[in-house]
Amino acid sequence: MTSNEIFDLLSARSPADIESLRTQAYQVMVDHVGSEVYFRGLVEFSNECIFDCSYCGIRKSNTAVERYCLSKDEIIETALWCARQGYGSIVLQSGQQSNREFIELIVGGVQQIKQRSRSSVLPHGLGITLSVGEQSKETYRRFFDAGAHRYLLRVETTAKELFEKFHGPEKTLQRRVTCLETMKKTGFQVGTGVMIGLPGQTLNDLANDILFFKDIDADMIGMGPYLVHHETPMNGYRDEIAERKNEIFQLSLNMIAATRIALKDVNIAATTALQTIDQKGREMGLMYGANVIMPQATPRHVRNKYLLYDGKPCVDESAADCAACLEQRIAATGRAIAWNSWGDPCHFFTRTGNQD
Ligand code: SAH
């Protein structure tokens, strides 16, 4: 697909054009990955971060955040709870750190989760996705050898000027891309994605983001609307973003649909940020071609400390309530949940020639 063709898909505005985009994307999803929805229990195990991304609520300069890091035992217990719920896969996510203690926590945690989550319904244990930022080649190798088999690292935006504007000198687009390539060589199923609706971001930028996903041959995509956090330097955009709320929400759905049409057999997540704008945001993501949902599994005593943006949903519900609520929401869309399944992206197997 060309940038112009993707641009046209993203431009859908009238109800008829939007519905036609949605049904096309839904059909591509059914044809290439089926209609089942895969769950990944989301464990936000630490909000400590060395980076200072200007959109993010847990950026290092935000001194109002109370920092936490779960112990290895807490992480393992949470993961095993996910396995008992039938989730099949988990995502371990945190702010960015690269010190020895942090790396060892992940390596040890992953090894034990893999061993202890094996059961008759999960003979190879939980599928583990990591989302812990930029690391060295050696560290990625250690994570992979410990048993994690997927890695998410959003590129945030592929528009260089925007990337630089919102990140400052210590974080570069080139380094992000190099990390994605290293992960792929290490053997990970690789996920990336962007934020949608960043101030100054154009439809053309978003079309190029999708072309980038294709070029880098990503297996998984996670995208969501940009939302303001009040204790960040981008709080000044609050009114502008509030005014564009509905437009950014529809654009996020159009991005899911256009990504599905362009990439076909990847996994695409309906992210929590969608639900912040609209109560039914994640279900709508599923209707536009997403096939993955990440139920909140972070222990409740720290959940309200992992606030990347204002208005995060489900901070007060217990993890069990979240599970039940999501199950009902998905049933309402007429889709089946694939319980106790890793739900690997089909694209990984076509890309690598491995058999499922
Ligand atoms: N430290 C990890 C995980 C980052 S948090 C890493 O570097 O990859 C996961 C994602 O949340 C980020 O990649 C970013 O795309 C998203 N995010 C952060 N702040 C946000 C905001 N204000 N609005 C919407 N999404 C945000």
Side-chain angles (χ1 to χ4, degrees):
M1 276 183 104
T2 65
S3 175
N4 281 347
E5 285 167 324
I6 297 174
F7 183 96
D8 286 346
L9 296 176
L10 295 177
S11 308
R13 286 283 173 280
S14 71
D17 285 353
I18 287 171
E19 185 54 12
S20 145
L21 171 66
R22 191 193 72 71
T23 48
Q24 192 191 342
Y26 198 90
Q27 194 57 49
V28 172
M29 176 194 76
V30 171
D31 291 347
H32 291 268
V33 299
S35 64
E36 282 187 311
V37 177
Y38 300 105
F39 274 8
R40 283 87 175 85
L42 177 61
V43 187
E44 298 150 330
F45 68 92
S46 168
N47 66 357
E48 287 164 15
C49 194
I50 58 166
F51 277 144
D52 222 10
C53 308
S54 56
Y55 44 82
C56 183
I58 62 168
R59 66 201 301 270
K60 90 175 159 199
S61 312
N62 187 0
T63 50
V65 178
E66 193 189 320
R67 303 287 166 171
Y68 72 90
C69 185
L70 297 183
S71 69
K72 196 191 294 179
D73 285 345
E74 280 176 303
I75 297 172
I76 296 165
E77 279 316 311
T78 310
L80 296 179
W81 180 88
C82 291
R84 290 196 297 276
Q85 297 301 301
Y87 288 171
S89 282
I90 56 168
V91 177
L92 298 179
Q93 187 177 88
S94 70
Q96 158 106 23
Q97 289 188 81
S98 302
N99 61 64
R100 205 188 151 84
E101 210 183 334
F102 180 76
I103 307 294
E104 297 307 326
L105 172 72
I106 296 169
V107 169
V110 167
Q111 281 169 340
Q112 286 198 41
I113 292 168
K114 288 303 286 185
Q115 278 167 16
R116 292 179 53 190
S117 59
R118 287 198 192 114
S119 69
S120 55
V121 285
L122 277 179
H124 302 289
L126 281 166
I128 302 182
T129 308
L130 293 179
S131 173
V132 297
E134 299 170 15
Q135 305 292 347
S136 68
K137 187 169 144 203
E138 294 69 35
T139 300
Y140 284 136
R141 165 61 53 196
R142 289 196 65 204
F143 288 165
F144 187 77
D145 290 345
H149 79 293
R150 304 188 189 115
Y151 206 108
L152 297 177
L153 186 79
R154 288 191 182 177
V155 73
E156 315 297 3
T157 171
T158 60
K160 199 162 174 287
E161 330 73 72
L162 281 187
F163 191 99
E164 287 171 3
K165 182 170 174 196
F166 297 130
H167 289 105
E170 83 269 24
K171 193 162 166 179
T172 67
L173 184 55
Q174 185 49 52
R175 165 109 180 110
R176 238 37 209 174
V177 175
T178 305
C179 283
L180 288 169
E181 278 160 357
T182 307
M183 286 167 202
K184 231 163 72 180
K185 284 194 202 121
T186 309
F188 281 108
Q189 296 172 10
V190 172
T192 190
V194 294
M195 282 177 288
I196 299 155
L198 286 166
Q201 188 182 43
T202 64
L203 273 195
N204 211 24
D205 292 335
L206 291 167
N208 287 333
D209 291 341
I210 295 181
L211 287 180
F212 169 81
F213 302 157
K214 213 169 156 60
D215 271 0
I216 195 116
D217 218 2
D219 304 304
M220 308 164 318
I221 304 295
M223 301 174 289
Y226 161 64
L227 300 158
V228 176
H229 186 290
H230 65 284
E231 278 149 351
T232 63
M234 287 174 71
N235 189 40
Y237 292 110
R238 166 167 306 274
D239 294 345
E240 175 190 328
I241 295 293
E243 247 167 57
R244 292 180 55 211
K245 193 174 96 169
N246 293 339
E247 176 217 326
I248 291 174
F249 183 68
Q250 187 59 51
L251 192 53
S252 302
L253 296 173
N254 288 7
M255 270 296 277
I256 291 178
T259 301
R260 172 61 70 201
I261 293 166
L263 274 68
K264 300 194 168 56
D265 58 355
V266 295
N267 278 354
I268 302 180
T271 57
T272 314
L274 281 170
Q275 198 189 332
T276 304
I277 302 191
D278 186 306
Q279 262 244 321
K280 291 198 168 158
R282 284 195 288 189
E283 296 92 295
M284 292 190 66
L286 294 179
M287 301 306 292
Y288 280 71
N291 65 333
V292 166
I293 279 206
M294 305 191 328
Q296 180 53 266
T298 308
R300 202 156 31 151
H301 69 282
V302 293
R303 206 182 293 171
N304 61 0
K305 300 191 177 95
Y306 196 88
L307 300 179
L308 310 177
Y309 45 77
D310 294 342
K312 177 183 181 180
C314 311
V315 277
D316 296 324
E317 281 80 358
S318 73
D321 288 346
C322 281
C325 158
L326 254 185
E327 199 175 341
Q328 278 175 13
R329 285 160 178 267
I330 291 163
T333 68
R335 304 264 290 270
I337 298 166
W339 297 109
N340 295 305
S341 157
W342 280 8
D344 285 328
C346 300
H347 186 77
F348 176 74
F349 301 105
T350 45
R351 164 165 86 72
T352 57
N354 286 352
Q355 289 307 301
D356 194 344

